[in-house]
Amino acid sequence: MKFTIKQIAAQAGVSKATVDRALHGRGAVHARTETRIKQAIRDLELQERTSLASGRTIPIDVILHTPERFSKLVCDALIDEMSHFVSFQLRLRFHCVETINTEEMRKLMLKCANDSYGIILKAENNPLISKTIEELQRHRVPVVTIVTDVADSKRLRYVGMDNVVAGKTAAYLMSQWIKEAELDVAVVLSSQHFLGEAERVKGFCQGLKMMAPSLNPVWVSEGYGVDGMTFDVMMNTLNHYPNLKAVYCVGGGNAAILRAFKQAGRDIVSYIGHDVDEENRFLLTDHKLNAVIQHDLRSDARTVFQTLLTFHGFLPVIEPTDLFSKVNVVTPYNV
């Protein structure tokens, strides 16, 4: 036994004699008392692990395939939330890339796994990435996906909002602002390979079909939220759709999209984006965006740390009360 009878008795709030009877079968002990003693031992073990962890550096790798303006939001949220876990020596190692192919992503993940206590991942939904997550899991390197998920993988948990609900929320807003009009709506994704973005589009299209069937969604993708690439794919779409007059951007690159509309001499009657980064904050206050769908990245960051530390036994297991982050709507008046 790792702990003395005295330690267990103090933790459980019972006498040493009761603990001795329970541990060695030397007499009857009430079932509730036995449960308290077992819980006390588990609590002592957790305290011991936490104490060991507090004196040890815990490296965690953050791998984000996303434009810099959004990776900054995620990184800032993670750094801010570290203050809630001061008893642990967390050390974040950031790997933020705007463009990367699947094989390079796999190599990066495996390289990080050498001494990592976990990987916080935003990546494309791809079978090779899923396979890599499974390999890492076998080596006790858990992966938590954030913002967008990797389907059918062995990731520990997805942390983020319900993207289908977010898309339906955008459809509801647009249906209120554009009534009875027959026009095309640009649904702009960074890439169709990001599951979270594809789910937003799915929810948006479902919502339009129910609430505004006269609006026709037109997919615009593979600009990866990067300014120049997004401008090019948007210009190409505008050239092919003369009745395109509204935008739902599920990824990034809104400034580039607005430039494309200006160059095409086309007005926008409704524009909804995602995430209040520095660019979108300016566009909201300038009334270039009608609304932005936003979720609490700091809450997500806290959940990520709790999940990884629980996996290693440094925090007690607590069943999550919410599966997803809340979907919030930000306008020029509450930004």
Side-chain angles (χ1 to χ4, degrees):
M1 174 58 64
K2 215 185 291 186
F3 308 105
T4 65
I5 288 176
K6 182 179 179 180
Q7 285 175 305
I8 298 169
Q11 183 70 29
V14 299
S15 69
K16 289 186 287 185
T18 301
V19 173
D20 183 63
R21 287 201 307 273
L23 294 180
H24 301 107
R26 291 176 178 156
V29 177
H30 196 282
R32 280 201 298 268
T33 305
E34 279 196 353
T35 300
R36 283 175 63 183
I37 291 169
K38 288 176 183 176
Q39 184 61 50
I41 294 170
R42 286 195 293 269
D43 291 345
L44 287 168
E45 288 173 343
L46 177 63
Q47 290 170 26
E48 184 180 61
R49 288 196 298 270
T50 303
S51 177
L52 288 170
S54 65
R56 177 195 309 168
T57 299
I58 301 176
I60 295 173
D61 288 277
V62 182
I63 303 177
L64 305 175
H65 182 186
T66 186
E68 183 182 353
R69 59 181 167 271
F70 185 69
S71 64
K72 184 178 185 304
L73 284 182
V74 177
C75 295
D76 286 349
L78 289 166
I79 291 168
D80 288 344
E81 286 306 303
M82 286 174 68
S83 62
H84 290 272
F85 302 90
V86 290
S87 59
F88 305 100
Q89 300 295 318
L90 299 179
R91 181 162 67 90
L92 300 183
R93 302 185 296 207
F94 295 102
H95 316 270
C96 305
V97 291
E98 291 195 328
T99 56
I100 188 171
N101 64 42
T102 306
E103 188 56 45
E104 289 170 338
M105 175 62 80
R106 170 180 165 77
K107 289 178 181 176
L108 176 57
M109 292 170 68
L110 293 175
K111 180 181 177 183
C112 292
N114 288 334
D115 62 342
S116 185
Y117 274 70
I119 293 175
I120 302 167
L121 180 69
K122 181 184 182 295
E124 292 185 353
N125 180 35
N126 183 284
L128 185 59
I129 302 302
S130 181
K131 179 184 175 184
T132 306
I133 291 173
E134 186 172 355
E135 289 178 42
L136 295 172
Q137 180 77 7
R138 285 201 299 266
H139 291 90
R140 297 281 298 170
V141 180
V143 174
V144 174
T145 54
I146 188 168
V147 180
T148 185
D149 204 2
V150 178
D152 304 318
S153 69
K154 298 289 185 182
R155 52 92 175 128
L156 205 57
R157 167 170 190 183
Y158 161 70
V159 177
M161 61 181 159
D162 184 328
N163 287 298
V164 173
V165 169
K168 286 183 177 178
T169 302
Y172 170 76
L173 293 172
M174 192 164 285
S175 73
Q176 300 304 299
W177 292 328
I178 307 176
K179 293 185 182 292
E180 307 303 326
E182 292 189 8
L183 52 83
D184 296 324
V185 180
V187 185
V188 188
L189 305 85
S190 298
S191 170
Q192 297 181 42
H193 300 297
F194 288 111
L195 181 61
E197 293 191 10
E199 288 178 334
R200 291 173 188 176
V201 172
K202 176 183 175 183
F204 183 73
C205 292
Q206 288 176 349
L208 284 190
K209 190 173 182 180
M210 290 187 297
M211 296 176 274
S214 63
L215 301 181
N216 175 49
V218 175
W219 287 42
V220 184
S221 69
E222 309 317 304
Y224 284 93
V226 178
D227 193 86
M229 296 167 65
T230 302
F231 177 82
D232 290 341
V233 295
M234 193 69 246
M235 279 302 302
N236 181 59
T237 306
L238 285 166
N239 290 334
H240 286 86
Y241 290 88
N243 202 33
L244 191 69
K245 296 178 182 177
V247 178
Y248 172 46
C249 182
V250 305
N254 292 307
I257 294 167
L258 287 164
R259 278 205 323 277
F261 269 84
K262 185 176 181 180
Q263 183 160 314
R266 197 89 55 90
D267 291 331
I268 303 176
V269 296
S270 179
Y271 198 137
I272 300 172
H274 268 264
D275 303 306
V276 185
D277 56 27
E278 188 176 343
E279 178 179 276
N280 287 349
R281 183 181 295 275
F282 173 78
L283 294 174
L284 271 169
T285 55
D286 202 32
H287 291 260
K288 294 292 193 298
L289 300 180
N290 297 116
V292 166
I293 307 295
Q294 170 80 347
H295 65 285
D296 188 348
L297 284 171
R298 287 191 60 168
S299 173
D300 288 352
R302 198 176 314 139
T303 300
V304 165
F305 289 138
Q306 288 170 340
T307 302
L308 292 174
L309 290 169
T310 299
F311 173 85
H312 290 290
F314 299 145
L315 288 176
V317 176
I318 300 174
E319 289 300 319
T321 53
D322 297 308
L323 290 177
F324 301 106
S325 310
K326 291 179 181 176
V327 176
N328 300 314
V329 177
V330 182
T331 73
Y333 301 99
N334 69 337
V335 66

